[in-house]
PDB file of all heavy atoms in Angstrom:
ATOM      1  N   SER P 980    -104.327 107.745 112.613  1.00  0.00           N
ATOM      2  CA  SER P 980    -102.907 108.055 112.799  1.00  0.00           C
ATOM      3  C   SER P 980    -102.205 108.350 111.479  1.00  0.00           C
ATOM      4  O   SER P 980    -101.114 107.828 111.197  1.00  0.00           O
ATOM      5  CB  SER P 980    -102.199 106.895 113.528  1.00  0.00           C
ATOM      6  OG  SER P 980    -102.808 106.594 114.746  1.00  0.00           O
ATOM      7  N   LYS P 981    -102.797 109.214 110.688  1.00  0.00           N
ATOM      8  CA  LYS P 981    -102.254 109.527 109.368  1.00  0.00           C
ATOM      9  C   LYS P 981    -100.821 110.060 109.405  1.00  0.00           C
ATOM     10  O   LYS P 981    -100.017 109.738 108.518  1.00  0.00           O
ATOM     11  CB  LYS P 981    -103.173 110.514 108.648  1.00  0.00           C
ATOM     12  CG  LYS P 981    -104.531 109.938 108.293  1.00  0.00           C
ATOM     13  CD  LYS P 981    -105.420 110.974 107.631  1.00  0.00           C
ATOM     14  CE  LYS P 981    -106.796 110.391 107.325  1.00  0.00           C
ATOM     15  NZ  LYS P 981    -107.700 111.412 106.719  1.00  0.00           N
ATOM     16  N   PRO P 982    -100.459 110.885 110.411  1.00  0.00           N
ATOM     17  CA  PRO P 982     -99.070 111.373 110.430  1.00  0.00           C
ATOM     18  C   PRO P 982     -98.035 110.253 110.481  1.00  0.00           C
ATOM     19  O   PRO P 982     -96.924 110.409 109.952  1.00  0.00           O
ATOM     20  CB  PRO P 982     -99.019 112.229 111.700  1.00  0.00           C
ATOM     21  CG  PRO P 982    -100.423 112.697 111.889  1.00  0.00           C
ATOM     22  CD  PRO P 982    -101.269 111.533 111.449  1.00  0.00           C
ATOM     23  N   TYR P 983     -98.389 109.130 111.074  1.00  0.00           N
ATOM     24  CA  TYR P 983     -97.433 108.024 111.148  1.00  0.00           C
ATOM     25  C   TYR P 983     -97.284 107.332 109.800  1.00  0.00           C
ATOM     26  O   TYR P 983     -96.222 106.816 109.462  1.00  0.00           O
ATOM     27  CB  TYR P 983     -97.860 107.041 112.243  1.00  0.00           C
ATOM     28  CG  TYR P 983     -97.751 107.644 113.618  1.00  0.00           C
ATOM     29  CD1 TYR P 983     -98.872 108.163 114.263  1.00  0.00           C
ATOM     30  CD2 TYR P 983     -96.518 107.745 114.259  1.00  0.00           C
ATOM     31  CE1 TYR P 983     -98.771 108.752 115.514  1.00  0.00           C
ATOM     32  CE2 TYR P 983     -96.404 108.328 115.513  1.00  0.00           C
ATOM     33  CZ  TYR P 983     -97.536 108.825 116.133  1.00  0.00           C
ATOM     34  OH  TYR P 983     -97.431 109.413 117.365  1.00  0.00           O
ATOM     35  N   ILE P 984     -98.367 107.333 109.020  1.00  0.00           N
ATOM     36  CA  ILE P 984     -98.264 106.844 107.646  1.00  0.00           C
ATOM     37  C   ILE P 984     -97.359 107.782 106.851  1.00  0.00           C
ATOM     38  O   ILE P 984     -96.501 107.343 106.071  1.00  0.00           O
ATOM     39  CB  ILE P 984     -99.656 106.755 106.994  1.00  0.00           C
ATOM     40  CG1 ILE P 984    -100.531 105.707 107.701  1.00  0.00           C
ATOM     41  CG2 ILE P 984     -99.525 106.427 105.508  1.00  0.00           C
ATOM     42  CD1 ILE P 984    -100.068 104.280 107.534  1.00  0.00           C
ATOM     43  N   ASP P 985     -97.555 109.088 107.058  1.00  0.00           N
ATOM     44  CA  ASP P 985     -96.712 110.071 106.372  1.00  0.00           C
ATOM     45  C   ASP P 985     -95.236 109.872 106.729  1.00  0.00           C
ATOM     46  O   ASP P 985     -94.363 109.973 105.858  1.00  0.00           O
ATOM     47  CB  ASP P 985     -97.138 111.489 106.748  1.00  0.00           C
ATOM     48  CG  ASP P 985     -98.535 111.849 106.247  1.00  0.00           C
ATOM     49  OD1 ASP P 985     -98.992 111.222 105.269  1.00  0.00           O
ATOM     50  OD2 ASP P 985     -99.158 112.750 106.836  1.00  0.00           O
ATOM     51  N   MET P 986     -94.955 109.611 107.995  1.00  0.00           N
ATOM     52  CA  MET P 986     -93.575 109.390 108.435  1.00  0.00           C
ATOM     53  C   MET P 986     -92.976 108.164 107.758  1.00  0.00           C
ATOM     54  O   MET P 986     -91.811 108.186 107.320  1.00  0.00           O
ATOM     55  CB  MET P 986     -93.531 109.224 109.957  1.00  0.00           C
ATOM     56  CG  MET P 986     -93.782 110.506 110.729  1.00  0.00           C
ATOM     57  SD  MET P 986     -94.017 110.204 112.502  1.00  0.00           S
ATOM     58  CE  MET P 986     -92.459 109.408 112.903  1.00  0.00           C
ATOM     59  N   THR P 987     -93.765 107.118 107.661  1.00  0.00           N
ATOM     60  CA  THR P 987     -93.284 105.894 107.024  1.00  0.00           C
ATOM     61  C   THR P 987     -92.961 106.133 105.561  1.00  0.00           C
ATOM     62  O   THR P 987     -91.886 105.766 105.068  1.00  0.00           O
ATOM     63  CB  THR P 987     -94.325 104.767 107.147  1.00  0.00           C
ATOM     64  OG1 THR P 987     -94.552 104.477 108.534  1.00  0.00           O
ATOM     65  CG2 THR P 987     -93.854 103.503 106.439  1.00  0.00           C
ATOM     66  N   ILE P 988     -93.898 106.769 104.859  1.00  0.00           N
ATOM     67  CA  ILE P 988     -93.711 107.033 103.426  1.00  0.00           C
ATOM     68  C   ILE P 988     -92.519 107.967 103.203  1.00  0.00           C
ATOM     69  O   ILE P 988     -91.722 107.772 102.276  1.00  0.00           O
ATOM     70  CB  ILE P 988     -94.996 107.610 102.820  1.00  0.00           C
ATOM     71  CG1 ILE P 988     -96.112 106.554 102.852  1.00  0.00           C
ATOM     72  CG2 ILE P 988     -94.759 108.092 101.389  1.00  0.00           C
ATOM     73  CD1 ILE P 988     -97.458 107.052 102.375  1.00  0.00           C
ATOM     74  N   ASP P 989     -92.378 108.983 104.059  1.00  0.00           N
ATOM     75  CA  ASP P 989     -91.268 109.922 103.928  1.00  0.00           C
ATOM     76  C   ASP P 989     -89.920 109.233 104.162  1.00  0.00           C
ATOM     77  O   ASP P 989     -88.949 109.478 103.439  1.00  0.00           O
ATOM     78  CB  ASP P 989     -91.443 111.073 104.914  1.00  0.00           C
ATOM     79  CG  ASP P 989     -90.337 112.104 104.807  1.00  0.00           C
ATOM     80  OD1 ASP P 989     -90.231 112.759 103.757  1.00  0.00           O
ATOM     81  OD2 ASP P 989     -89.558 112.250 105.772  1.00  0.00           O
ATOM     82  N   THR P 990     -89.871 108.372 105.153  1.00  0.00           N
ATOM     83  CA  THR P 990     -88.627 107.650 105.439  1.00  0.00           C
ATOM     84  C   THR P 990     -88.277 106.710 104.290  1.00  0.00           C
ATOM     85  O   THR P 990     -87.107 106.614 103.884  1.00  0.00           O
ATOM     86  CB  THR P 990     -88.758 106.846 106.746  1.00  0.00           C
ATOM     87  OG1 THR P 990     -89.064 107.751 107.818  1.00  0.00           O
ATOM     88  CG2 THR P 990     -87.459 106.113 107.062  1.00  0.00           C
ATOM     89  N   MET P 991     -89.273 106.007 103.764  1.00  0.00           N
ATOM     90  CA  MET P 991     -89.028 105.122 102.626  1.00  0.00           C
ATOM     91  C   MET P 991     -88.509 105.905 101.426  1.00  0.00           C
ATOM     92  O   MET P 991     -87.632 105.441 100.689  1.00  0.00           O
ATOM     93  CB  MET P 991     -90.310 104.367 102.273  1.00  0.00           C
ATOM     94  CG  MET P 991     -90.737 103.353 103.328  1.00  0.00           C
ATOM     95  SD  MET P 991     -92.340 102.576 102.985  1.00  0.00           S
ATOM     96  CE  MET P 991     -91.948 101.632 101.507  1.00  0.00           C
ATOM     97  N   LYS P 992     -89.039 107.127 101.249  1.00  0.00           N
ATOM     98  CA  LYS P 992     -88.580 107.974 100.156  1.00  0.00           C
ATOM     99  C   LYS P 992     -87.104 108.298 100.304  1.00  0.00           C
ATOM    100  O   LYS P 992     -86.339 108.294  99.324  1.00  0.00           O
ATOM    101  CB  LYS P 992     -89.405 109.256 100.113  1.00  0.00           C
ATOM    102  CG  LYS P 992     -89.019 110.212  98.997  1.00  0.00           C
ATOM    103  CD  LYS P 992     -89.898 111.461  99.011  1.00  0.00           C
ATOM    104  CE  LYS P 992     -89.488 112.423  97.905  1.00  0.00           C
ATOM    105  NZ  LYS P 992     -90.355 113.645  97.917  1.00  0.00           N
ATOM    106  N   GLN P 993     -86.687 108.579 101.539  1.00  0.00           N
ATOM    107  CA  GLN P 993     -85.277 108.870 101.788  1.00  0.00           C
ATOM    108  C   GLN P 993     -84.393 107.657 101.532  1.00  0.00           C
ATOM    109  O   GLN P 993     -83.201 107.796 101.266  1.00  0.00           O
ATOM    110  CB  GLN P 993     -85.089 109.364 103.222  1.00  0.00           C
ATOM    111  CG  GLN P 993     -85.775 110.697 103.499  1.00  0.00           C
ATOM    112  CD  GLN P 993     -85.571 111.161 104.919  1.00  0.00           C
ATOM    113  OE1 GLN P 993     -84.444 111.339 105.366  1.00  0.00           O
ATOM    114  NE2 GLN P 993     -86.666 111.344 105.656  1.00  0.00           N
ATOM    115  N   PHE P 994     -84.979 106.471 101.610  1.00  0.00           N
ATOM    116  CA  PHE P 994     -84.241 105.242 101.329  1.00  0.00           C
ATOM    117  C   PHE P 994     -84.378 104.831  99.867  1.00  0.00           C
ATOM    118  O   PHE P 994     -83.972 103.736  99.491  1.00  0.00           O
ATOM    119  CB  PHE P 994     -84.731 104.110 102.235  1.00  0.00           C
ATOM    120  CG  PHE P 994     -84.101 104.102 103.591  1.00  0.00           C
ATOM    121  CD1 PHE P 994     -84.438 105.043 104.543  1.00  0.00           C
ATOM    122  CD2 PHE P 994     -83.148 103.152 103.927  1.00  0.00           C
ATOM    123  CE1 PHE P 994     -83.863 105.045 105.799  1.00  0.00           C
ATOM    124  CE2 PHE P 994     -82.563 103.137 105.179  1.00  0.00           C
ATOM    125  CZ  PHE P 994     -82.917 104.095 106.118  1.00  0.00           C
ATOM    126  N   GLY P 995     -84.977 105.696  99.052  1.00  0.00           N
ATOM    127  CA  GLY P 995     -85.038 105.449  97.619  1.00  0.00           C
ATOM    128  C   GLY P 995     -86.258 104.714  97.126  1.00  0.00           C
ATOM    129  O   GLY P 995     -86.276 104.234  95.987  1.00  0.00           O
ATOM    130  N   VAL P 996     -87.310 104.617  97.936  1.00  0.00           N
ATOM    131  CA  VAL P 996     -88.513 103.871  97.556  1.00  0.00           C
ATOM    132  C   VAL P 996     -89.706 104.825  97.459  1.00  0.00           C
ATOM    133  O   VAL P 996     -89.946 105.635  98.357  1.00  0.00           O
ATOM    134  CB  VAL P 996     -88.819 102.751  98.567  1.00  0.00           C
ATOM    135  CG1 VAL P 996     -90.164 102.100  98.261  1.00  0.00           C
ATOM    136  CG2 VAL P 996     -87.706 101.705  98.547  1.00  0.00           C
ATOM    137  N   THR P 997     -90.455 104.726  96.373  1.00  0.00           N
ATOM    138  CA  THR P 997     -91.623 105.576  96.137  1.00  0.00           C
ATOM    139  C   THR P 997     -92.906 104.859  96.531  1.00  0.00           C
ATOM    140  O   THR P 997     -93.114 103.700  96.179  1.00  0.00           O
ATOM    141  CB  THR P 997     -91.708 105.986  94.653  1.00  0.00           C
ATOM    142  OG1 THR P 997     -90.529 106.736  94.308  1.00  0.00           O
ATOM    143  CG2 THR P 997     -92.938 106.832  94.391  1.00  0.00           C
ATOM    144  N   VAL P 998     -93.760 105.561  97.245  1.00  0.00           N
ATOM    145  CA  VAL P 998     -95.081 105.057  97.630  1.00  0.00           C
ATOM    146  C   VAL P 998     -96.120 106.081  97.176  1.00  0.00           C
ATOM    147  O   VAL P 998     -95.983 107.275  97.444  1.00  0.00           O
ATOM    148  CB  VAL P 998     -95.197 104.848  99.146  1.00  0.00           C
ATOM    149  CG1 VAL P 998     -96.609 104.363  99.506  1.00  0.00           C
ATOM    150  CG2 VAL P 998     -94.153 103.864  99.647  1.00  0.00           C
ATOM    151  N   PHE P 999     -97.148 105.611  96.497  1.00  0.00           N
ATOM    152  CA  PHE P 999     -98.237 106.490  96.077  1.00  0.00           C
ATOM    153  C   PHE P 999     -99.388 106.372  97.076  1.00  0.00           C
ATOM    154  O   PHE P 999     -99.902 105.280  97.328  1.00  0.00           O
ATOM    155  CB  PHE P 999     -98.710 106.125  94.668  1.00  0.00           C
ATOM    156  CG  PHE P 999     -97.655 106.349  93.612  1.00  0.00           C
ATOM    157  CD1 PHE P 999     -96.934 105.275  93.106  1.00  0.00           C
ATOM    158  CD2 PHE P 999     -97.385 107.629  93.151  1.00  0.00           C
ATOM    159  CE1 PHE P 999     -95.951 105.479  92.133  1.00  0.00           C
ATOM    160  CE2 PHE P 999     -96.408 107.835  92.181  1.00  0.00           C
ATOM    161  CZ  PHE P 999     -95.690 106.760  91.675  1.00  0.00           C
ATOM    162  N   ASN P1000     -99.762 107.517  97.642  1.00  0.00           N
ATOM    163  CA  ASN P1000    -100.816 107.568  98.651  1.00  0.00           C
ATOM    164  C   ASN P1000    -102.034 108.260  98.056  1.00  0.00           C
ATOM    165  O   ASN P1000    -102.002 109.455  97.769  1.00  0.00           O
ATOM    166  CB  ASN P1000    -100.304 108.323  99.877  1.00  0.00           C
ATOM    167  CG  ASN P1000    -101.378 108.521 100.937  1.00  0.00           C
ATOM    168  OD1 ASN P1000    -102.490 107.993 100.834  1.00  0.00           O
ATOM    169  ND2 ASN P1000    -101.057 109.275 101.967  1.00  0.00           N
ATOM    170  N   LYS P1001    -103.121 107.524  97.869  1.00  0.00           N
ATOM    171  CA  LYS P1001    -104.352 108.083  97.323  1.00  0.00           C
ATOM    172  C   LYS P1001    -105.337 108.357  98.456  1.00  0.00           C
ATOM    173  O   LYS P1001    -106.159 107.511  98.832  1.00  0.00           O
ATOM    174  CB  LYS P1001    -104.983 107.122  96.308  1.00  0.00           C
ATOM    175  CG  LYS P1001    -106.194 107.730  95.593  1.00  0.00           C
ATOM    176  CD  LYS P1001    -106.728 106.806  94.519  1.00  0.00           C
ATOM    177  CE  LYS P1001    -107.908 107.434  93.785  1.00  0.00           C
ATOM    178  NZ  LYS P1001    -108.452 106.523  92.731  1.00  0.00           N
TER     179      LYS P1001
END
Side-chain angles (χ1 to χ4, degrees):
S980 304
K981 293 178 182 178
Y983 293 99
I984 295 293
D985 294 337
M986 288 170 59
T987 299
I988 294 175
D989 181 65
T990 301
M991 292 174 67
K992 181 179 179 180
Q993 295 180 59
F994 277 73
V996 173
T997 299
V998 178
F999 295 102
N1000 175 7
K1001 186 175 182 181

